[in-house]
Coordinates of all heavy atoms in Angstrom, one line a residue:
M8 N 39.1 -13.1 -51.2 CA 40.5 -13.0 -50.7 C 41.3 -14.2 -51.2 O 40.8 -15.3 -51.4 CB 40.4 -13.1 -49.2 CG 39.8 -11.8 -48.5 SD 40.0 -11.7 -46.7 CE 40.0 -13.3 -46.1
K9 N 42.5 -13.9 -51.4 CA 43.4 -14.9 -51.9 C 43.8 -15.8 -50.7 O 44.1 -15.4 -49.6 CB 44.7 -14.3 -52.5 CG 44.4 -13.6 -53.8 CD 45.7 -13.1 -54.4 CE 45.5 -12.4 -55.7 NZ 46.8 -11.9 -56.2
P10 N 43.9 -17.1 -51.0 CA 44.3 -18.0 -49.9 C 45.8 -18.0 -49.6 O 46.6 -17.7 -50.5 CB 43.9 -19.4 -50.4 CG 43.9 -19.3 -51.9 CD 43.5 -17.8 -52.2
R11 N 46.1 -18.2 -48.4 CA 47.5 -18.3 -47.9 C 48.4 -17.1 -48.0 O 49.6 -17.2 -48.1 CB 48.2 -19.5 -48.6 CG 47.6 -20.9 -48.2 CD 48.3 -22.0 -48.9 NE 47.8 -21.9 -50.3 CZ 48.5 -22.5 -51.3 NH1 49.5 -23.2 -51.0 NH2 48.1 -22.4 -52.5
I12 N 47.8 -15.9 -48.1 CA 48.6 -14.7 -48.1 C 48.5 -13.9 -46.8 O 49.3 -12.9 -46.6 CB 48.3 -13.8 -49.3 CG1 46.9 -13.2 -49.3 CG2 48.6 -14.5 -50.6 CD1 46.6 -12.1 -50.3
H13 N 47.5 -14.2 -46.0 CA 47.3 -13.4 -44.8 C 48.0 -14.1 -43.6 O 48.1 -15.3 -43.5 CB 45.8 -13.4 -44.5 CG 45.1 -12.7 -45.6 ND1 45.1 -11.3 -45.8 CD2 44.3 -13.2 -46.6 CE1 44.3 -11.0 -46.8 NE2 43.8 -12.1 -47.3
P14 N 48.6 -13.3 -42.7 CA 49.3 -13.9 -41.5 C 48.3 -14.6 -40.6 O 47.1 -14.3 -40.6 CB 49.9 -12.7 -40.8 CG 49.1 -11.5 -41.3 CD 48.6 -11.8 -42.7
V15 N 48.8 -15.5 -39.8 CA 48.0 -16.3 -38.9 C 47.7 -15.5 -37.7 O 48.6 -15.0 -37.1 CB 48.8 -17.6 -38.6 CG1 48.0 -18.4 -37.5 CG2 49.1 -18.4 -39.8
S16 N 46.4 -15.5 -37.3 CA 46.0 -14.8 -36.1 C 45.8 -15.8 -35.0 O 45.2 -16.9 -35.2 CB 44.7 -14.1 -36.4 OG 44.2 -13.5 -35.2
R17 N 46.4 -15.5 -33.8 CA 46.4 -16.5 -32.7 C 46.1 -15.7 -31.4 O 46.4 -14.5 -31.4 CB 47.7 -17.3 -32.7 CG 48.9 -16.4 -32.3 CD 50.2 -17.1 -32.3 NE 50.7 -17.5 -33.6 CZ 51.2 -16.7 -34.5 NH1 51.4 -15.5 -34.3 NH2 51.7 -17.2 -35.7
P18 N 45.7 -16.4 -30.4 CA 45.6 -15.7 -29.1 C 47.0 -15.4 -28.5 O 47.9 -16.2 -28.6 CB 44.9 -16.8 -28.2 CG 44.5 -17.9 -29.0 CD 45.2 -17.8 -30.3
V19 N 47.1 -14.1 -28.0 CA 48.4 -13.6 -27.5 C 48.0 -12.8 -26.2 O 47.0 -12.1 -26.2 CB 49.1 -12.7 -28.5 CG1 50.3 -12.1 -27.9 CG2 49.4 -13.5 -29.8
V20 N 48.9 -12.9 -25.2 CA 48.7 -12.1 -24.0 C 49.6 -10.9 -24.1 O 50.8 -11.0 -24.4 CB 49.1 -12.9 -22.8 CG1 49.1 -12.0 -21.5 CG2 48.2 -14.1 -22.6
F21 N 49.0 -9.7 -23.9 CA 49.8 -8.4 -23.9 C 49.9 -8.0 -22.4 O 48.8 -7.9 -21.7 CB 49.1 -7.3 -24.7 CG 49.3 -7.5 -26.2 CD1 48.3 -8.2 -26.9 CD2 50.4 -7.0 -26.8 CE1 48.5 -8.4 -28.3 CE2 50.5 -7.2 -28.2 CZ 49.6 -7.9 -28.9
R22 N 51.1 -7.7 -22.0 CA 51.3 -7.3 -20.6 C 51.8 -5.9 -20.6 O 52.8 -5.5 -21.1 CB 52.4 -8.3 -20.0 CG 52.7 -8.0 -18.5 CD 53.5 -9.1 -17.9 NE 54.6 -9.5 -18.8 CZ 55.2 -10.7 -18.7 NH1 54.9 -11.5 -17.7 NH2 56.2 -11.0 -19.5
D23 N 51.0 -5.0 -19.9 CA 51.3 -3.6 -19.8 C 52.2 -3.4 -18.6 O 51.9 -3.7 -17.5 CB 50.0 -2.8 -19.5 CG 50.2 -1.3 -19.5 OD1 51.4 -0.9 -19.4 OD2 49.3 -0.6 -19.6
R24 N 53.5 -3.0 -18.9 CA 54.5 -2.9 -17.9 C 54.2 -1.7 -16.9 O 54.6 -1.7 -15.8 CB 55.8 -2.8 -18.5 CG 56.2 -4.0 -19.3 CD 57.4 -3.8 -20.1 NE 58.6 -3.8 -19.2 CZ 59.8 -3.6 -19.5 NH1 60.1 -3.4 -20.8 NH2 60.8 -3.6 -18.7
A25 N 53.6 -0.6 -17.4 CA 53.3 0.5 -16.6 C 52.2 0.3 -15.6 O 52.3 0.7 -14.5 CB 53.0 1.7 -17.5
A26 N 51.1 -0.4 -16.1 CA 49.9 -0.6 -15.2 C 49.9 -1.9 -14.5 O 49.2 -2.1 -13.5 CB 48.7 -0.4 -16.0
G27 N 50.8 -2.9 -15.0 CA 50.8 -4.2 -14.4 C 49.6 -5.0 -14.7 O 49.2 -5.9 -14.0
T28 N 48.9 -4.7 -15.8 CA 47.7 -5.5 -16.2 C 48.1 -6.4 -17.4 O 49.0 -6.1 -18.1 CB 46.6 -4.6 -16.6 OG1 47.0 -3.7 -17.6 CG2 46.1 -3.8 -15.4
T29 N 47.2 -7.4 -17.7 CA 47.4 -8.3 -18.8 C 46.1 -8.4 -19.6 O 45.0 -8.3 -19.0 CB 47.9 -9.7 -18.4 OG1 47.0 -10.2 -17.4 CG2 49.3 -9.6 -17.8
F30 N 46.2 -8.6 -20.9 CA 45.1 -8.7 -21.8 C 45.3 -9.9 -22.7 O 46.4 -10.1 -23.2 CB 44.9 -7.5 -22.7 CG 44.8 -6.2 -21.9 CD1 45.9 -5.4 -21.7 CD2 43.5 -5.8 -21.5 CE1 45.7 -4.2 -21.0 CE2 43.4 -4.6 -20.8 CZ 44.5 -3.8 -20.6
L31 N 44.3 -10.8 -22.8 CA 44.3 -11.9 -23.8 C 43.5 -11.5 -24.9 O 42.3 -11.1 -24.8 CB 43.8 -13.2 -23.1 CG 43.7 -14.4 -24.1 CD1 45.1 -14.8 -24.5 CD2 43.0 -15.5 -23.4
T32 N 44.1 -11.4 -26.1 CA 43.4 -11.0 -27.3 C 44.1 -11.8 -28.5 O 45.0 -12.5 -28.3 CB 43.5 -9.5 -27.5 OG1 42.7 -9.1 -28.7 CG2 45.0 -9.0 -27.7
R33 N 43.5 -11.6 -29.7 CA 44.1 -12.2 -30.9 C 45.0 -11.2 -31.6 O 44.7 -10.0 -31.6 CB 42.9 -12.6 -31.8 CG 42.0 -13.7 -31.2 CD 41.1 -14.3 -32.2 NE 41.8 -15.0 -33.2 CZ 42.3 -16.3 -33.1 NH1 42.1 -16.9 -32.0 NH2 42.8 -16.9 -34.1
S34 N 46.1 -11.8 -32.1 CA 47.1 -10.9 -32.8 C 47.9 -11.8 -33.7 O 48.0 -13.0 -33.6 CB 48.0 -10.3 -31.8 OG 49.0 -9.5 -32.4
T35 N 48.5 -11.1 -34.7 CA 49.5 -11.8 -35.6 C 50.9 -11.8 -35.0 O 51.8 -12.5 -35.6 CB 49.4 -11.2 -37.0 OG1 49.8 -9.9 -36.9 CG2 48.1 -11.3 -37.6
A36 N 51.1 -11.1 -34.0 CA 52.4 -11.0 -33.4 C 52.7 -12.3 -32.6 O 51.9 -13.0 -32.1 CB 52.5 -9.8 -32.4
D37 N 54.0 -12.6 -32.6 CA 54.5 -13.9 -31.9 C 55.6 -13.5 -31.0 O 56.3 -12.5 -31.2 CB 54.9 -14.9 -32.9 CG 54.9 -16.3 -32.3 OD1 54.4 -16.5 -31.2 OD2 55.4 -17.2 -33.0
S38 N 55.8 -14.3 -30.0 CA 56.9 -14.1 -29.0 C 57.5 -15.5 -28.6 O 56.8 -16.5 -28.6 CB 56.4 -13.4 -27.8 OG 57.3 -13.3 -26.8
G39 N 58.7 -15.5 -28.3 CA 59.4 -16.7 -27.8 C 59.0 -17.0 -26.3 O 59.2 -18.1 -25.9
E40 N 58.6 -15.9 -25.6 CA 58.3 -16.1 -24.2 C 56.8 -16.4 -24.1 O 55.9 -15.9 -24.8 CB 58.5 -14.7 -23.5 CG 58.3 -14.8 -22.0 CD 58.6 -13.4 -21.3 OE1 59.1 -12.5 -22.0 OE2 58.3 -13.3 -20.2
H41 N 56.5 -17.4 -23.2 CA 55.1 -17.8 -23.0 C 54.7 -17.6 -21.5 O 55.6 -17.6 -20.6 CB 54.9 -19.3 -23.4 CG 54.9 -19.5 -24.8 ND1 56.0 -19.4 -25.6 CD2 53.9 -19.8 -25.7 CE1 55.7 -19.6 -26.9 NE2 54.4 -19.9 -26.9
V42 N 53.4 -17.5 -21.3 CA 52.9 -17.4 -19.9 C 51.6 -18.2 -19.8 O 50.9 -18.4 -20.8 CB 52.6 -15.9 -19.6 CG1 51.4 -15.4 -20.5 CG2 52.3 -15.7 -18.1
V43 N 51.4 -18.8 -18.7 CA 50.2 -19.6 -18.4 C 49.1 -18.6 -18.0 O 49.2 -17.8 -17.1 CB 50.4 -20.6 -17.3 CG1 49.1 -21.4 -17.0 CG2 51.5 -21.6 -17.7
W44 N 48.0 -18.6 -18.8 CA 46.8 -17.7 -18.6 C 45.9 -18.3 -17.5 O 46.1 -19.4 -17.1 CB 46.1 -17.5 -19.9 CG 45.1 -16.4 -19.8 CD1 43.7 -16.6 -20.0 CD2 45.2 -15.0 -19.6 NE1 43.1 -15.4 -19.9 CE2 44.0 -14.4 -19.6 CE3 46.3 -14.2 -19.3 CZ2 43.8 -13.1 -19.4 CZ3 46.1 -12.9 -19.1 CH2 44.9 -12.3 -19.2
E45 N 44.9 -17.6 -17.1 CA 43.9 -18.0 -16.1 C 43.2 -19.3 -16.5 O 42.7 -20.0 -15.6 CB 42.9 -16.9 -15.9 CG 43.6 -15.6 -15.4 CD 42.7 -14.4 -15.6 OE1 41.6 -14.5 -16.2 OE2 43.0 -13.3 -15.1
D46 N 43.0 -19.6 -17.8 CA 42.3 -20.8 -18.1 C 43.2 -22.0 -18.1 O 42.8 -23.1 -18.5 CB 41.7 -20.6 -19.5 CG 42.7 -20.4 -20.6 OD1 43.9 -20.3 -20.3 OD2 42.3 -20.2 -21.8
G47 N 44.5 -21.9 -17.8 CA 45.5 -23.0 -17.7 C 46.2 -23.2 -19.0 O 47.2 -24.1 -19.0
D48 N 45.9 -22.6 -20.1 CA 46.7 -22.7 -21.3 C 47.8 -21.8 -21.4 O 47.9 -20.7 -20.7 CB 45.7 -22.4 -22.5 CG 44.7 -23.5 -22.7 OD1 44.9 -24.7 -22.2 OD2 43.6 -23.2 -23.3
S49 N 48.8 -22.1 -22.1 CA 50.0 -21.3 -22.3 C 49.9 -20.5 -23.6 O 49.6 -21.1 -24.7 CB 51.3 -22.2 -22.4 OG 52.4 -21.5 -22.6
Y50 N 50.2 -19.2 -23.5 CA 50.1 -18.3 -24.7 C 51.4 -17.5 -24.8 O 52.0 -17.2 -23.8 CB 48.9 -17.3 -24.5 CG 47.6 -18.0 -24.4 CD1 46.9 -18.1 -23.2 CD2 47.0 -18.5 -25.6 CE1 45.7 -18.7 -23.1 CE2 45.7 -19.1 -25.5 CZ 45.1 -19.2 -24.3 OH 43.9 -19.9 -24.2
P51 N 51.7 -17.0 -26.0 CA 52.8 -16.1 -26.1 C 52.5 -14.8 -25.4 O 51.4 -14.4 -25.4 CB 53.0 -15.9 -27.6 CG 52.0 -16.8 -28.3 CD 51.1 -17.4 -27.3
V52 N 53.5 -14.2 -24.8 CA 53.3 -12.9 -24.1 C 54.2 -11.8 -24.7 O 55.3 -12.1 -25.0 CB 53.6 -13.1 -22.6 CG1 55.0 -13.4 -22.3 CG2 53.2 -11.8 -21.8
I53 N 53.6 -10.7 -24.9 CA 54.3 -9.5 -25.4 C 54.2 -8.4 -24.4 O 53.1 -8.0 -24.0 CB 53.7 -9.1 -26.8 CG1 53.9 -10.2 -27.8 CG2 54.4 -7.8 -27.3 CD1 53.3 -10.0 -29.1
D54 N 55.3 -7.8 -24.0 CA 55.4 -6.7 -23.1 C 55.2 -5.4 -23.8 O 55.9 -5.2 -24.8 CB 56.7 -6.7 -22.3 CG 56.7 -7.9 -21.3 OD1 55.7 -8.2 -20.7 OD2 57.8 -8.4 -21.0
V55 N 54.3 -4.5 -23.4 CA 54.1 -3.2 -24.0 C 54.4 -2.2 -22.9 O 54.1 -2.4 -21.7 CB 52.8 -3.1 -24.6 CG1 52.6 -4.0 -25.8 CG2 51.6 -3.3 -23.6
E56 N 54.8 -1.0 -23.3 CA 55.0 0.1 -22.4 C 53.7 0.8 -22.0 O 53.6 1.2 -20.8 CB 56.0 1.1 -23.0 CG 57.4 0.6 -23.3 CD 58.1 0.3 -22.0 OE1 57.9 0.9 -21.0 OE2 58.9 -0.7 -22.0
T57 N 52.8 0.9 -22.9 CA 51.6 1.7 -22.7 C 50.4 0.9 -23.3 O 50.5 0.5 -24.5 CB 51.6 3.1 -23.2 OG1 52.8 3.7 -22.7 CG2 50.4 3.9 -22.9
S58 N 49.3 0.9 -22.6 CA 48.1 0.3 -23.2 C 46.9 1.2 -22.7 O 47.1 2.2 -22.1 CB 47.9 -1.1 -22.8 OG 47.5 -1.2 -21.4
S59 N 45.7 0.8 -23.0 CA 44.5 1.5 -22.6 C 44.4 1.6 -21.1 O 43.7 2.5 -20.5 CB 43.3 1.0 -23.2 OG 43.1 -0.4 -22.7
A60 N 45.1 0.7 -20.4 CA 45.0 0.7 -18.9 C 45.9 1.8 -18.3 O 45.7 2.2 -17.1 CB 45.4 -0.7 -18.3
S61 N 46.9 2.3 -19.0 CA 47.9 3.2 -18.5 C 48.0 4.5 -19.3 O 48.6 5.5 -18.8 CB 49.3 2.6 -18.3 OG 49.8 2.2 -19.6
H62 N 47.4 4.6 -20.5 CA 47.5 5.8 -21.3 C 46.6 6.9 -20.7 O 45.5 6.7 -20.4 CB 47.2 5.5 -22.7 CG 47.6 6.6 -23.7 ND1 46.9 7.7 -23.9 CD2 48.7 6.7 -24.5 CE1 47.5 8.5 -24.7 NE2 48.6 7.8 -25.1
P63 N 47.2 8.1 -20.6 CA 46.4 9.2 -20.1 C 45.1 9.5 -20.8 O 44.1 10.0 -20.2 CB 47.3 10.4 -20.1 CG 48.7 9.9 -20.2 CD 48.5 8.6 -20.9
F64 N 45.0 9.3 -22.1 CA 43.8 9.5 -22.9 C 42.7 8.6 -22.4 O 41.5 9.1 -22.3 CB 44.0 9.3 -24.4 CG 42.8 9.5 -25.2 CD1 42.4 10.8 -25.6 CD2 42.0 8.4 -25.6 CE1 41.3 11.0 -26.4 CE2 40.9 8.6 -26.4 CZ 40.5 9.9 -26.8
Y65 N 42.9 7.4 -22.0 CA 41.9 6.5 -21.6 C 41.7 6.5 -20.1 O 40.6 6.2 -19.6 CB 42.3 5.0 -22.0 CG 42.4 4.8 -23.5 CD1 43.6 4.8 -24.1 CD2 41.2 4.7 -24.2 CE1 43.6 4.6 -25.5 CE2 41.3 4.6 -25.6 CZ 42.5 4.5 -26.2 OH 42.5 4.3 -27.6
T66 N 42.7 6.9 -19.3 CA 42.5 6.9 -17.9 C 42.0 8.2 -17.3 O 41.7 8.3 -16.2 CB 43.9 6.6 -17.2 OG1 44.8 7.6 -17.5 CG2 44.4 5.2 -17.5
G67 N 42.0 9.3 -18.2 CA 41.5 10.6 -17.8 C 42.6 11.5 -17.2 O 42.3 12.6 -16.7
G68 N 43.8 11.0 -17.2 CA 44.9 11.8 -16.7 C 45.2 12.9 -17.7 O 44.9 12.8 -18.9
R69 N 45.7 14.0 -17.3 CA 45.9 15.2 -18.1 C 47.4 15.5 -18.2 O 48.1 15.3 -17.2 CB 45.2 16.4 -17.7 CG 43.7 16.1 -17.5 CD 43.0 17.4 -17.2 NE 42.5 17.8 -18.5 CZ 41.8 18.9 -18.8 NH1 41.7 19.7 -17.8 NH2 41.3 19.1 -20.0
Q70 N 47.9 15.9 -19.3 CA 49.2 16.4 -19.4 C 49.3 17.8 -19.0 O 48.4 18.6 -19.2 CB 49.7 16.3 -20.9 CG 50.0 14.9 -21.4 CD 50.5 15.0 -22.8 OE1 50.0 15.7 -23.6 NE2 51.6 14.3 -23.0
V71 N 50.4 18.2 -18.4 CA 50.6 19.6 -18.0 C 51.3 20.3 -19.2 O 52.4 19.9 -19.6 CB 51.5 19.6 -16.7 CG1 51.8 21.1 -16.4 CG2 50.8 18.9 -15.6
L72 N 50.6 21.3 -19.7 CA 51.2 22.0 -20.8 C 51.9 23.3 -20.3 O 51.4 23.9 -19.4 CB 50.1 22.4 -21.8 CG 49.4 21.2 -22.5 CD1 48.3 21.7 -23.4 CD2 50.4 20.4 -23.3
D73 N 52.9 23.6 -21.0 CA 53.7 24.8 -20.6 C 53.0 26.0 -21.3 O 53.6 26.6 -22.2 CB 55.1 24.7 -20.9 CG 56.0 25.9 -20.5 OD1 55.5 26.6 -19.6 OD2 57.0 26.1 -21.1
V74 N 51.8 26.4 -21.0 CA 51.1 27.5 -21.6 C 51.8 28.8 -21.4 O 51.9 29.6 -22.3 CB 49.6 27.5 -21.2 CG1 48.9 28.6 -21.8 CG2 49.0 26.2 -21.5
A75 N 52.2 29.1 -20.2 CA 52.8 30.3 -19.9 C 54.1 30.5 -20.7 O 54.4 31.6 -21.2 CB 53.2 30.4 -18.4
G76 N 54.9 29.5 -20.8 CA 56.1 29.6 -21.6 C 55.8 29.9 -23.1 O 56.5 30.6 -23.8
R77 N 54.7 29.3 -23.6 CA 54.4 29.5 -25.0 C 53.9 30.9 -25.2 O 54.2 31.6 -26.2 CB 53.3 28.5 -25.4 CG 53.8 27.1 -25.5 CD 52.7 26.2 -25.9 NE 53.1 24.8 -25.9 CZ 52.4 23.8 -26.3 NH1 51.1 24.0 -26.7 NH2 52.9 22.6 -26.2
V78 N 53.1 31.5 -24.3 CA 52.6 32.8 -24.4 C 53.8 33.8 -24.3 O 53.9 34.8 -25.1 CB 51.6 33.1 -23.3 CG1 51.2 34.6 -23.3 CG2 50.4 32.3 -23.5
E79 N 54.7 33.6 -23.4 CA 55.9 34.5 -23.3 C 56.7 34.4 -24.6 O 57.2 35.5 -25.0 CB 56.7 34.1 -22.1 CG 56.1 34.4 -20.8 CD 56.8 33.8 -19.6 OE1 57.9 33.2 -19.8 OE2 56.3 33.8 -18.5
R80 N 56.9 33.3 -25.1 CA 57.7 33.2 -26.4 C 57.0 33.9 -27.5 O 57.6 34.6 -28.3 CB 57.8 31.7 -26.7 CG 58.7 31.5 -27.9 CD 59.0 30.0 -28.1 NE 57.8 29.2 -28.0 CZ 57.8 27.9 -27.6 NH1 58.9 27.3 -27.4 NH2 56.7 27.3 -27.5
F81 N 55.6 33.8 -27.5 CA 54.9 34.5 -28.6 C 55.1 36.1 -28.4 O 55.3 36.8 -29.4 CB 53.4 34.2 -28.4 CG 52.5 35.0 -29.4 CD1 52.4 34.6 -30.7 CD2 51.8 36.1 -29.0 CE1 51.6 35.3 -31.6 CE2 51.0 36.8 -29.9 CZ 50.9 36.4 -31.2
H82 N 55.0 36.6 -27.2 CA 55.2 38.0 -26.9 C 56.6 38.5 -27.3 O 56.8 39.6 -27.8 CB 54.8 38.4 -25.5 CG 53.3 38.4 -25.2 ND1 52.4 39.1 -25.9 CD2 52.6 37.6 -24.4 CE1 51.2 38.9 -25.5 NE2 51.3 38.0 -24.6
R83 N 57.6 37.6 -27.0 CA 59.0 38.0 -27.3 C 59.1 38.0 -28.8 O 59.8 38.9 -29.4 CB 59.9 36.9 -26.8 CG 60.3 37.2 -25.3 CD 61.6 36.4 -24.9 NE 61.5 35.0 -25.4 CZ 61.2 34.0 -24.6 NH1 60.8 34.2 -23.4 NH2 61.2 32.7 -25.1
R84 N 58.5 37.1 -29.5 CA 58.7 37.0 -31.0 C 57.9 38.1 -31.7 O 58.4 38.7 -32.7 CB 58.2 35.7 -31.5 CG 58.5 35.5 -33.0 CD 58.1 34.1 -33.4 NE 59.0 33.1 -32.7 CZ 58.8 31.8 -32.7 NH1 57.7 31.3 -33.3 NH2 59.6 31.0 -32.1
Y85 N 56.6 38.4 -31.3 CA 55.7 39.3 -32.0 C 55.3 40.5 -31.3 O 54.5 41.3 -31.8 CB 54.5 38.5 -32.4 CG 54.8 37.3 -33.3 CD1 54.6 36.0 -32.8 CD2 55.2 37.4 -34.6 CE1 54.9 34.9 -33.6 CE2 55.4 36.3 -35.4 CZ 55.3 35.1 -34.9 OH 55.6 34.0 -35.6
G86 N 55.9 40.7 -30.1 CA 55.5 41.9 -29.3 C 54.2 41.6 -28.6 O 53.7 40.5 -28.5
D87 N 53.6 42.7 -28.1 CA 52.3 42.5 -27.4 C 51.1 42.2 -28.3 O 50.1 41.7 -27.9 CB 52.0 43.8 -26.6 CG 52.9 43.9 -25.3 OD1 53.4 42.8 -24.9 OD2 53.1 45.0 -24.9
G88 N 51.3 42.6 -29.6 CA 50.2 42.2 -30.5 C 48.9 43.0 -30.4 O 47.9 42.6 -30.8
G89 N 49.0 44.2 -29.8 CA 47.9 45.1 -29.7 C 47.4 45.6 -31.1 O 48.2 45.5 -32.1
P90 N 46.2 46.2 -31.1 CA 45.8 46.7 -32.4 C 46.6 47.8 -32.9 O 47.0 48.7 -32.1 CB 44.3 47.1 -32.1 CG 44.2 47.3 -30.7 CD 45.3 46.4 -30.1
S91 N 47.0 47.8 -34.2 CA 47.8 48.8 -34.7 C 47.0 50.1 -35.0 O 45.9 50.0 -35.5 CB 48.5 48.3 -36.0 OG 47.5 48.0 -37.0
A92 N 47.6 51.2 -34.7 CA 46.9 52.5 -34.9 C 47.3 52.9 -36.4 O 48.4 53.3 -36.6 CB 47.4 53.6 -33.9
G93 N 46.4 52.9 -37.2 CA 46.7 53.3 -38.5 C 45.6 53.3 -39.4 O 45.3 53.6 -40.4

């Protein structure tokens, strides 16, 4: 690897606004806002809308799909789609 071309990785706190949880991890992102972590040190904090604590894929939540609307739209567009007699 070439020296001095990679960004600096530092400890950063990510705060999930939806779940109200915080994570301390390493990142190249920086922020002007700082927060004091549980160990007493001050770290940059970045607010995120969704993380693994609030995303439905990780929490087991399911999305409600409009399956009935899709089926009705298919029938309107292509008819009933029964086997053709021929």
